[in-house]
Structure formats: structure tokens, C-alpha cells
Amino acid sequence: MDLPFRDATFDAVCCFGALYLFDEPWAAVDSMVRVLRPGGRLIILTTRRPSLPLSRLGTGAFGRVAGVTMFGDREVTGALAERGLTGVRHRRYPLMQVAAARRP
């Protein structure tokens, strides 16, 4: 979660299929944003909490046992915007989502 690189080092950071496995996913996002240069891009492919009846998948006991977090449609994009990233884009699929943004 704590990337071993200096601040503002990379033009792009991608996290494909890992965010949902971290105990502290938002700390991992903080680290990704930290190593981005101004104008750098971040893209994340992660899980998506489906609509009912599977909306509890990845939460509660199942999520703890499986070690998987299912993120809601606005959780990842909201986290990017809260960290000051701009141009946030989002694509949803049944059980996954892609979110991308740029560091100003």
C-alpha cells in the first residue's frame, strides 16, 4: 500500500484487479496519487457491487472470509475526486468497474 517511490515520480499508475484485496484500499489510493506527477493519470479496475439480490456480496461475513471488497458505483470515483483528481471517468460492468482520472 505504501509505494516505495518518491512523490510525483510517474506519468501513469494502474491498479488492475488488486484494490479489492487490500485491507486499507483508500490508503493504497493515497499512495498511488502521491507518486503521480501533475498531469499524470490513474486508472483502477476493481470489483463492483451488483444490484440486488447480490448487493451484500463482498460485505459482512462473506467479504471477510473471501477477502474481497465489492465497491459501490460511487465509492472509487468519489475517492478519486476527494483526492483532488480531475476528469474522473467511470465505466460499469456487472461485477467490475473501471475508474480513471488525472492529477491536476
Side-chain angles (χ1 to χ4, degrees):
M1 290 186 301
D2 185 21
L3 295 172
F5 305 105
R6 291 182 305 216
D7 294 358
T9 301
F10 295 100
D11 293 323
V13 174
C14 65
C15 179
F16 289 173
L19 189 67
Y20 57 90
L21 298 172
F22 292 124
D23 288 334
E24 297 179 39
W26 309 127
V29 171
D30 289 338
S31 189
M32 293 175 214
V33 172
R34 178 186 60 77
V35 300
L36 274 179
R37 288 183 179 147
R41 296 174 186 250
L42 172 61
I43 185 166
I44 297 172
L45 168 75
T46 193
T47 55
R48 176 177 176 256
R49 186 178 309 121
S51 301
L52 290 174
L54 299 175
S55 64
R56 312 274 289 134
L57 187 68
T59 62
F62 176 81
R64 286 190 298 275
V65 171
V68 172
T69 301
M70 301 296 279
F71 296 101
D73 286 344
R74 294 188 180 104
E75 284 184 272
V76 178
T77 56
L80 299 180
E82 287 171 8
R83 285 155 178 81
L85 299 181
T86 61
V88 177
R89 297 185 344 201
H90 188 232
R91 291 216 176 162
R92 298 177 303 163
Y93 302 94
L95 292 176
M96 67 179 178
Q97 58 185 310
V98 179
R102 180 185 313 243
R103 184 173 182 183

